Amino acid sequence: MTDRKPPGVSFESWVDRQIREAAERGEFERLPGYGKPLASIDAPYDELWWIKGKMHREGFAALPPALALRKEAEDALEAARTARSEREARAVLTEINEKIRAALRRPPPGPPLRLAPFDVDAVLATRREGRTG
């Protein structure tokens, strides 16, 4: 923990001393991303950059739950199509179908879901045809 600023010392010089001493102890070298370029250095300025970053780190989505589930279903279908095995594809589809059925039983807030569980056998048959043809 840092020391309290002593009376009679200007705030700026006290802060500068704290930074210098921390650098001498090597405390800045253990920070995540040390020595790496800033990821967003060339990106256009966004006033909400810190909010978006925080939401991403905390796992929150900016989409309403219904739209997030639609996106997840699209991603799951693509993952099933490119899965290494039929067993893996079936597991992906079964998992997303459970989420879709739960959402149909209790619709999430936001726009209409407009989503139905995937026909696993039909998707797998299409997958097989795509691999052989």
Side-chain angles (χ1 to χ4, degrees):
M1 179 138 154
T2 60
D3 301 327
R4 296 187 74 107
K5 180 182 91 58
V9 175
S10 74
F11 186 74
E12 185 176 350
S13 63
W14 181 75
V15 169
D16 290 338
R17 190 189 80 205
Q18 295 291 315
I19 292 171
R20 180 180 46 76
E21 289 175 357
E24 288 171 358
R25 289 190 302 269
E27 292 185 19
F28 296 125
E29 294 173 9
R30 294 184 295 249
L31 296 175
Y34 175 77
K36 297 178 184 171
L38 297 173
S40 60
I41 194 81
D42 294 327
Y45 179 72
D46 182 5
E47 290 181 1
L48 303 176
W49 65 269
W50 62 275
I51 292 173
K52 291 176 182 175
K54 178 73 171 169
M55 288 178 66
H56 178 72
R57 286 189 305 276
E58 298 295 327
F60 289 109
L63 291 175
L67 294 180
L69 184 57
R70 280 196 227 167
K71 173 74 171 109
E72 188 176 352
E74 290 174 11
D75 294 344
L77 183 58
E78 184 59 31
R81 288 180 179 146
T82 60
R84 290 177 286 176
S85 67
E86 195 166 299
R87 172 184 264 169
E88 185 179 319
R90 186 176 294 277
V92 168
L93 293 171
T94 301
E95 181 181 343
I96 194 64
N97 278 347
E98 289 173 9
K99 291 180 180 182
I100 292 170
R101 286 187 186 98
L104 290 172
R105 284 192 298 274
R106 262 190 107 117
L113 190 59
R114 292 192 181 117
L115 197 59
F118 292 107
D119 181 345
V120 176
D121 293 326
V123 172
L124 294 178
T126 304
R127 180 179 184 275
R128 275 186 233 111
E129 289 172 8
R131 295 215 186 255
T132 59

XYZ file of all heavy atoms in Angstrom, residues 39-115:
608
model
N -3.882 -2.427 -28.263
C -4.701 -3.074 -29.284
C -5.512 -2.070 -30.097
O -5.735 -2.256 -31.283
C -5.637 -4.087 -28.628
N -5.959 -1.021 -29.472
C -6.861 -0.091 -30.154
C -6.165 1.193 -30.579
O -6.816 2.213 -30.750
C -8.027 0.237 -29.233
O -7.534 0.836 -28.044
N -4.879 1.171 -30.768
C -4.141 2.394 -31.064
C -4.583 3.014 -32.392
O -4.615 4.226 -32.532
C -2.608 2.134 -31.047
C -1.843 3.444 -31.016
C -2.178 1.319 -32.219
C -1.736 4.063 -29.677
N -4.946 2.201 -33.385
C -5.355 2.717 -34.691
C -6.870 2.817 -34.851
O -7.351 3.249 -35.896
C -4.794 1.829 -35.801
C -3.268 1.887 -35.855
O -2.719 2.959 -35.554
O -2.649 0.865 -36.186
N -7.623 2.405 -33.843
C -9.084 2.432 -33.942
C -9.595 3.864 -33.774
O -8.990 4.671 -33.064
C -9.691 1.540 -32.854
N -10.716 4.175 -34.422
C -11.284 5.521 -34.233
C -11.752 5.692 -32.794
O -12.105 4.717 -32.123
C -12.452 5.563 -35.216
C -12.748 4.151 -35.557
C -11.486 3.368 -35.338
N -11.761 6.928 -32.321
C -12.136 7.204 -30.937
C -13.602 6.853 -30.699
O -14.472 7.166 -31.505
C -11.904 8.678 -30.591
C -12.318 9.000 -29.170
C -11.557 8.537 -28.104
C -13.466 9.717 -28.899
C -11.925 8.798 -26.809
C -13.844 9.988 -27.600
C -13.072 9.527 -26.554
O -13.450 9.773 -25.264
N -13.864 6.189 -29.601
C -15.221 5.824 -29.207
C -15.413 6.270 -27.771
O -14.677 5.842 -26.882
C -15.397 4.306 -29.337
C -16.798 3.839 -28.987
O -17.678 4.682 -28.729
O -17.014 2.618 -28.978
N -16.406 7.125 -27.542
C -16.638 7.642 -26.190
C -16.955 6.533 -25.190
O -16.695 6.679 -24.001
C -17.795 8.648 -26.208
C -17.471 9.941 -26.896
C -18.631 10.917 -26.866
O -19.684 10.580 -26.290
O -18.472 12.011 -27.412
N -17.522 5.458 -25.661
C -17.943 4.372 -24.764
C -16.957 3.214 -24.742
O -17.304 2.102 -24.372
C -19.329 3.866 -25.188
C -20.426 4.924 -25.220
C -21.715 4.324 -25.748
C -20.643 5.524 -23.854
N -15.692 3.465 -25.089
C -14.704 2.389 -25.173
C -14.552 1.645 -23.860
O -14.445 0.426 -23.838
C -13.346 2.938 -25.623
C -12.718 3.873 -24.644
C -12.856 5.225 -24.584
C -11.853 3.525 -23.563
N -12.139 5.752 -23.542
C -11.504 4.715 -22.886
C -11.328 2.327 -23.086
C -10.674 4.739 -21.774
C -10.499 2.359 -21.970
C -10.184 3.557 -21.340
N -14.571 2.350 -22.763
C -14.348 1.692 -21.471
C -15.569 0.884 -21.059
O -15.443 -0.182 -20.448
C -13.959 2.710 -20.407
C -15.013 3.743 -20.138
C -15.226 4.912 -20.810
C -16.002 3.685 -19.110
N -16.289 5.576 -20.271
C -16.775 4.859 -19.216
C -16.293 2.764 -18.110
C -17.851 5.119 -18.372
C -17.348 3.037 -17.260
C -18.112 4.215 -17.397
N -16.779 1.338 -21.407
C -17.990 0.583 -21.077
C -18.011 -0.716 -21.882
O -18.288 -1.787 -21.349
C -19.249 1.425 -21.361
C -19.315 2.601 -20.388
C -20.509 0.580 -21.269
C -20.424 3.577 -20.681
N -17.708 -0.602 -23.176
C -17.704 -1.786 -24.029
C -16.638 -2.780 -23.585
O -16.867 -3.989 -23.580
C -17.486 -1.377 -25.481
C -18.671 -0.616 -26.050
C -18.392 -0.127 -27.454
C -19.565 0.675 -27.992
N -19.281 1.257 -29.313
N -15.479 -2.280 -23.204
C -14.420 -3.163 -22.718
C -14.811 -3.870 -21.433
O -14.577 -5.069 -21.264
N -15.418 -3.133 -20.522
C -15.861 -3.719 -19.253
C -16.925 -4.785 -19.497
O -16.880 -5.873 -18.904
C -16.408 -2.615 -18.342
C -16.952 -3.075 -17.024
C -15.873 -3.483 -16.089
C -16.446 -3.738 -14.706
N -15.499 -4.378 -13.835
N -17.880 -4.482 -20.367
C -18.926 -5.459 -20.669
C -18.324 -6.722 -21.276
O -18.730 -7.833 -20.932
C -19.963 -4.850 -21.619
C -20.845 -3.827 -20.955
S -22.018 -3.080 -22.092
C -23.054 -4.460 -22.502
N -17.356 -6.553 -22.157
C -16.709 -7.710 -22.783
C -15.967 -8.550 -21.745
O -16.084 -9.779 -21.725
C -15.754 -7.236 -23.881
C -15.023 -8.342 -24.541
N -15.633 -9.225 -25.411
C -13.733 -8.738 -24.446
C -14.745 -10.105 -25.818
N -13.584 -9.829 -25.253
N -15.204 -7.879 -20.860
C -14.451 -8.614 -19.833
C -15.371 -9.333 -18.855
O -15.036 -10.402 -18.350
C -13.533 -7.655 -19.072
C -12.328 -7.204 -19.854
C -11.347 -6.441 -18.991
N -11.928 -5.301 -18.305
C -12.084 -4.086 -18.829
N -11.708 -3.845 -20.069
N -12.619 -3.106 -18.119
N -16.542 -8.751 -18.576
C -17.470 -9.344 -17.611
C -18.430 -10.344 -18.255
O -19.223 -10.961 -17.565
C -18.276 -8.239 -16.916
C -17.416 -7.283 -16.109
C -16.723 -7.950 -14.936
O -17.296 -8.888 -14.352
O -15.604 -7.534 -14.598
N -18.346 -10.488 -19.583
C -19.192 -11.468 -20.259
C -20.604 -11.001 -20.529
O -21.495 -11.820 -20.764
N -20.859 -9.706 -20.508
C -22.183 -9.188 -20.798
C -22.313 -8.928 -22.286
O -21.355 -8.570 -22.962
C -22.449 -7.879 -20.048
C -22.614 -8.076 -18.574
C -21.641 -7.653 -17.699
C -23.738 -8.705 -18.067
C -21.779 -7.830 -16.338
C -23.890 -8.888 -16.709
C -22.912 -8.457 -15.843
N -23.511 -9.092 -22.798
C -23.762 -8.846 -24.208
C -24.577 -7.573 -24.363
O -25.436 -7.270 -23.541
C -24.522 -10.022 -24.810
N -24.310 -6.852 -25.424
C -25.067 -5.642 -25.702
C -26.387 -5.980 -26.393
O -27.263 -5.134 -26.483
C -24.237 -4.698 -26.565
N -26.520 -7.205 -26.865
C -27.745 -7.618 -27.541
C -28.806 -8.041 -26.528
O -28.486 -8.599 -25.480
C -27.461 -8.812 -28.456
C -26.610 -8.572 -29.684
C -26.329 -9.897 -30.385
C -27.290 -7.620 -30.628
N -30.078 -7.830 -26.865
C -31.143 -8.385 -26.018
C -31.032 -9.907 -26.018
O -30.524 -10.503 -26.985
C -32.432 -7.932 -26.721
C -32.031 -6.827 -27.621
C -30.594 -7.035 -27.968
N -31.505 -10.567 -24.970
C -31.355 -12.023 -24.871
C -31.889 -12.792 -26.075
O -31.278 -13.776 -26.502
C -32.131 -12.379 -23.604
C -32.103 -11.132 -22.787
C -32.108 -10.004 -23.767
N -33.010 -12.359 -26.666
C -33.567 -13.070 -27.817
C -32.613 -13.004 -29.007
O -32.377 -14.009 -29.691
C -34.933 -12.487 -28.191
N -32.046 -11.833 -29.261
C -31.108 -11.702 -30.379
C -29.799 -12.428 -30.097
O -29.190 -12.994 -31.006
C -30.851 -10.227 -30.681
C -32.047 -9.426 -31.198
C -31.633 -7.981 -31.456
C -32.631 -10.052 -32.441
N -29.368 -12.414 -28.843
C -28.145 -13.128 -28.482
C -28.332 -14.635 -28.707
O -27.407 -15.315 -29.186
C -27.774 -12.841 -27.035
N -29.524 -15.152 -28.400
C -29.779 -16.579 -28.621
C -29.825 -16.894 -30.111
O -29.320 -17.935 -30.543
C -31.076 -17.015 -27.937
C -31.398 -18.507 -28.029
C -30.272 -19.356 -27.447
C -32.707 -18.814 -27.334
N -30.408 -15.996 -30.910
C -30.396 -16.214 -32.368
C -28.968 -16.287 -32.891
O -28.632 -17.144 -33.703
C -31.131 -15.075 -33.080
C -32.621 -15.213 -33.057
C -33.208 -14.287 -34.085
N -34.311 -13.538 -33.524
C -34.867 -12.489 -34.096
N -34.412 -12.034 -35.244
N -35.879 -11.882 -33.535
N -28.126 -15.377 -32.425
C -26.717 -15.367 -32.847
C -26.025 -16.649 -32.407
O -25.266 -17.266 -33.154
C -26.019 -14.136 -32.253
C -24.528 -14.096 -32.475
C -24.181 -13.755 -33.905
C -22.704 -13.509 -34.070
N -22.020 -14.537 -34.798
N -26.290 -17.064 -31.168
C -25.696 -18.297 -30.653
C -26.156 -19.507 -31.467
O -25.373 -20.423 -31.738
C -26.065 -18.473 -29.177
C -25.352 -19.597 -28.503
C -25.664 -19.707 -27.015
O -26.332 -18.811 -26.451
O -25.234 -20.720 -26.421
N -27.419 -19.504 -31.901
C -27.937 -20.606 -32.711
C -27.243 -20.639 -34.074
O -26.893 -21.718 -34.574
C -29.451 -20.477 -32.879
N -27.042 -19.466 -34.673
C -26.317 -19.407 -35.957
C -24.893 -19.945 -35.797
O -24.406 -20.707 -36.641
C -26.264 -17.974 -36.475
C -27.582 -17.426 -36.952
C -27.493 -15.947 -37.310
O -26.364 -15.397 -37.385
O -28.558 -15.339 -37.515
N -24.238 -19.517 -34.727
C -22.870 -19.984 -34.475
C -22.831 -21.490 -34.227
O -21.909 -22.180 -34.668
C -22.264 -19.245 -33.284
C -22.056 -17.764 -33.554
O -22.098 -17.359 -34.741
O -21.854 -17.007 -32.582
N -23.842 -22.005 -33.514
C -23.889 -23.438 -33.229
C -24.107 -24.239 -34.510
O -23.492 -25.294 -34.701
C -25.002 -23.741 -32.224
N -24.961 -23.733 -35.398
C -25.198 -24.432 -36.663
C -23.910 -24.480 -37.484
O -23.559 -25.527 -38.042
C -26.312 -23.743 -37.450
C -26.720 -24.401 -38.758
C -27.178 -25.843 -38.542
C -27.812 -23.588 -39.431
N -23.192 -23.375 -37.529
C -21.918 -23.350 -38.253
C -20.899 -24.293 -37.600
O -20.160 -25.005 -38.278
C -21.367 -21.929 -38.310
C -20.104 -21.795 -39.114
C -20.246 -22.234 -40.563
O -21.339 -22.103 -41.145
O -19.245 -22.743 -41.123
N -20.877 -24.311 -36.268
C -19.959 -25.203 -35.555
C -20.305 -26.661 -35.836
O -19.408 -27.505 -35.973
C -20.007 -24.923 -34.058
N -21.593 -26.973 -35.940
C -22.010 -28.349 -36.237
C -21.595 -28.738 -37.656
O -21.176 -29.869 -37.894
C -23.516 -28.494 -36.064
N -21.706 -27.789 -38.572
C -21.322 -28.085 -39.965
C -19.825 -28.337 -40.107
O -19.400 -29.093 -40.953
C -21.740 -26.933 -40.871
C -23.229 -26.845 -41.077
C -23.589 -25.686 -41.973
N -25.026 -25.637 -42.181
C -25.712 -24.513 -42.321
N -25.109 -23.348 -42.292
N -27.011 -24.561 -42.501
N -19.033 -27.663 -39.282
C -17.572 -27.793 -39.395
C -16.959 -28.679 -38.312
O -15.743 -28.733 -38.189
C -16.914 -26.398 -39.344
O -17.248 -25.782 -38.099
C -17.366 -25.530 -40.501
N -17.801 -29.360 -37.557
C -17.305 -30.216 -36.470
C -16.450 -31.349 -37.033
O -16.618 -31.774 -38.172
C -18.472 -30.782 -35.673
N -15.533 -31.831 -36.193
C -14.624 -32.904 -36.625
C -15.325 -34.241 -36.785
O -14.918 -35.077 -37.573
C -13.476 -33.037 -35.638
C -12.510 -31.864 -35.690
C -11.453 -32.017 -34.665
N -12.099 -31.732 -33.372
C -11.535 -31.822 -32.197
N -10.295 -32.223 -32.112
N -12.179 -31.523 -31.105
N -16.385 -34.443 -35.982
C -17.088 -35.722 -36.060
C -18.590 -35.483 -35.948
O -19.047 -34.422 -35.517
C -16.642 -36.645 -34.920
O -17.075 -36.120 -33.676
N -19.330 -36.500 -36.346
C -20.788 -36.402 -36.258
C -21.230 -36.359 -34.794
O -22.194 -35.686 -34.448
C -21.422 -37.586 -36.985
C -22.881 -37.383 -37.252
C -23.439 -38.377 -38.244
O -22.972 -38.393 -39.401
O -24.339 -39.144 -37.857
N -20.514 -37.046 -33.946
C -20.833 -37.040 -32.512
C -20.688 -35.626 -31.941
O -21.541 -35.161 -31.176
C -19.917 -38.003 -31.769
C -20.061 -37.915 -30.265
C -19.083 -38.792 -29.564
N -19.767 -40.037 -29.261
C -19.202 -41.132 -28.829
N -17.901 -41.173 -28.673
N -19.901 -42.200 -28.556
N -19.609 -34.943 -32.324
C -19.383 -33.573 -31.859
C -20.481 -32.644 -32.391
O -20.995 -31.796 -31.660
C -18.009 -33.090 -32.322
C -17.621 -31.732 -31.812
C -16.240 -31.325 -32.287
O -15.327 -32.167 -32.295
O -16.087 -30.137 -32.663
N -20.845 -32.803 -33.659
C -21.904 -31.987 -34.260
C -23.227 -32.214 -33.540
O -23.958 -31.261 -33.239
C -22.033 -32.305 -35.740
N -23.528 -33.470 -33.248
C -24.776 -33.789 -32.540
C -24.786 -33.156 -31.148
O -25.811 -32.617 -30.703
C -24.950 -35.310 -32.448
C -26.267 -35.752 -31.863
C -26.408 -37.270 -31.889
N -26.477 -37.818 -33.221
C -27.582 -37.877 -33.958
N -28.699 -37.399 -33.481
N -27.563 -38.412 -35.164
N -23.655 -33.171 -30.468
C -23.579 -32.576 -29.125
C -23.819 -31.064 -29.184
O -24.537 -30.505 -28.336
C -22.224 -32.877 -28.501
N -23.241 -30.404 -30.180
C -23.425 -28.952 -30.331
C -24.890 -28.629 -30.570
O -25.465 -27.726 -29.949
C -22.540 -28.416 -31.488
C -22.919 -27.002 -31.863
C -21.070 -28.497 -31.117
N -25.519 -29.374 -31.476
C -26.926 -29.126 -31.807
C -27.848 -29.453 -30.636
O -28.826 -28.737 -30.394
C -27.325 -29.926 -33.048
C -26.648 -29.477 -34.349
C -26.945 -30.457 -35.466
C -27.075 -28.074 -34.713
N -27.546 -30.512 -29.919
C -28.370 -30.881 -28.766
C -28.314 -29.799 -27.699
O -29.345 -29.425 -27.115
C -27.893 -32.234 -28.186
O -27.986 -33.222 -29.209
C -28.723 -32.643 -26.987
N -27.122 -29.263 -27.465
C -26.969 -28.211 -26.451
C -27.743 -26.954 -26.836
O -28.461 -26.381 -26.007
C -25.488 -27.879 -26.274
C -25.240 -26.819 -25.225
C -23.773 -26.485 -25.063
O -22.920 -27.274 -25.519
O -23.490 -25.422 -24.491
N -27.640 -26.514 -28.090
C -28.349 -25.298 -28.482
C -29.856 -25.544 -28.523
O -30.648 -24.658 -28.187
C -27.828 -24.720 -29.827
C -28.342 -23.279 -30.027
C -28.215 -25.575 -30.996
C -27.845 -22.295 -29.025
N -30.267 -26.762 -28.890
C -31.693 -27.072 -28.889
C -32.284 -26.979 -27.487
O -33.412 -26.528 -27.316
C -31.956 -28.454 -29.492
C -31.990 -28.426 -31.009
O -32.052 -27.352 -31.615
N -31.933 -29.589 -31.631
N -31.533 -27.399 -26.477
C -32.006 -27.281 -25.098
C -32.217 -25.816 -24.728
O -33.220 -25.463 -24.103
C -31.008 -27.931 -24.140
C -30.964 -29.432 -24.229
C -29.840 -30.039 -23.391
O -29.200 -29.306 -22.610
O -29.607 -31.248 -23.524
N -31.298 -24.959 -25.151
C -31.434 -23.524 -24.863
C -32.631 -22.927 -25.606
O -33.365 -22.107 -25.053
C -30.156 -22.785 -25.254
C -28.979 -23.100 -24.371
C -27.745 -22.333 -24.802
C -26.559 -22.649 -23.922
N -25.371 -21.870 -24.303
N -32.819 -23.350 -26.845
C -33.946 -22.839 -27.632
C -35.268 -23.273 -27.007
O -36.191 -22.460 -26.847
C -33.846 -23.306 -29.106
C -32.644 -22.638 -29.788
C -35.142 -22.997 -29.852
C -32.315 -23.202 -31.159
N -35.364 -24.537 -26.610
C -36.606 -25.029 -25.990
C -36.898 -24.294 -24.682
O -38.041 -23.952 -24.396
C -36.514 -26.537 -25.760
C -36.639 -27.340 -27.031
C -36.720 -28.844 -26.761
N -36.690 -29.573 -28.008
C -35.595 -30.130 -28.525
N -34.437 -30.086 -27.878
N -35.651 -30.762 -29.679
N -35.857 -24.037 -23.907
C -36.055 -23.287 -22.661
C -36.557 -21.872 -22.952
O -37.431 -21.350 -22.251
C -34.746 -23.233 -21.870
N -36.011 -21.248 -23.997
C -36.433 -19.894 -24.362
C -37.857 -19.886 -24.916
O -38.590 -18.913 -24.739
C -35.466 -19.295 -25.378
N -38.251 -20.959 -25.575
C -39.620 -21.040 -26.087
C -40.621 -21.234 -24.944
O -41.740 -20.717 -25.005
C -39.744 -22.175 -27.112
C -39.032 -21.930 -28.444
C -39.060 -23.194 -29.302
C -39.647 -20.761 -29.188
N -40.204 -21.960 -23.910
C -41.076 -22.145 -22.747
C -41.246 -20.843 -21.975
O -42.329 -20.541 -21.496
C -40.518 -23.227 -21.825
C -40.727 -24.639 -22.327
C -40.422 -25.676 -21.266
N -39.047 -25.662 -20.824
C -38.039 -26.307 -21.412
N -38.281 -27.026 -22.487
N -36.824 -26.247 -20.939
N -40.158 -20.092 -21.858
C -40.158 -18.807 -21.144
C -39.480 -17.785 -22.032
O -38.261 -17.588 -21.923
C -39.379 -18.932 -19.852
C -40.211 -19.156 -18.647
C -39.316 -18.998 -17.455
N -39.606 -17.758 -16.792
C -40.055 -17.679 -15.567
N -40.223 -18.765 -14.887
N -40.308 -16.524 -15.029
N -40.236 -17.133 -22.907
C -39.610 -16.207 -23.858
C -38.804 -15.115 -23.164
O -39.258 -14.529 -22.191
C -40.803 -15.614 -24.610
C -41.904 -16.612 -24.431
C -41.670 -17.234 -23.086
N -37.599 -14.864 -23.661
C -36.768 -13.811 -23.075
C -37.295 -12.432 -23.465
O -38.035 -12.304 -24.443
C -35.384 -14.065 -23.682
C -35.666 -14.767 -24.963
C -36.927 -15.551 -24.744
N -36.916 -11.403 -22.729
C -37.349 -10.056 -23.102
C -36.692 -9.623 -24.400
O -35.636 -10.125 -24.777
C -36.858 -9.190 -21.931
C -35.778 -9.973 -21.277
C -36.101 -11.417 -21.524
N -37.342 -8.711 -25.066
C -36.793 -8.203 -26.313
C -37.657 -8.596 -27.487
O -38.829 -8.962 -27.326
N -37.101 -8.540 -28.669
C -37.881 -8.866 -29.868
C -38.299 -10.328 -29.870
O -37.734 -11.139 -29.135
C -36.912 -8.564 -31.012
C -35.566 -8.565 -30.407
C -35.723 -8.197 -28.973
N -39.283 -10.675 -30.707
C -39.718 -12.076 -30.774
C -38.558 -13.004 -31.114
O -37.661 -12.645 -31.867
C -40.759 -12.074 -31.910
C -41.160 -10.659 -32.081
C -40.015 -9.813 -31.622
N -38.596 -14.184 -30.556
C -37.495 -15.135 -30.717
C -37.389 -15.648 -32.153
O -36.297 -15.718 -32.704
C -37.663 -16.293 -29.739
C -36.509 -17.251 -29.598
C -35.249 -16.521 -29.153
C -36.844 -18.342 -28.609
N -38.501 -16.015 -32.765
C -38.528 -16.528 -34.141
C -37.439 -17.583 -34.375
O -36.624 -17.473 -35.286
C -38.377 -15.399 -35.148
C -39.561 -14.476 -35.179
C -39.497 -13.555 -36.383
N -40.639 -12.674 -36.364
C -40.554 -11.352 -36.252
N -39.381 -10.768 -36.176
N -41.631 -10.632 -36.231
N -37.440 -18.564 -33.511
C -36.414 -19.599 -33.568
C -37.058 -20.920 -33.178
O -37.898 -20.963 -32.283
C -35.294 -19.232 -32.587
C -33.948 -19.897 -32.698
C -33.331 -19.628 -34.068
C -33.009 -19.354 -31.632
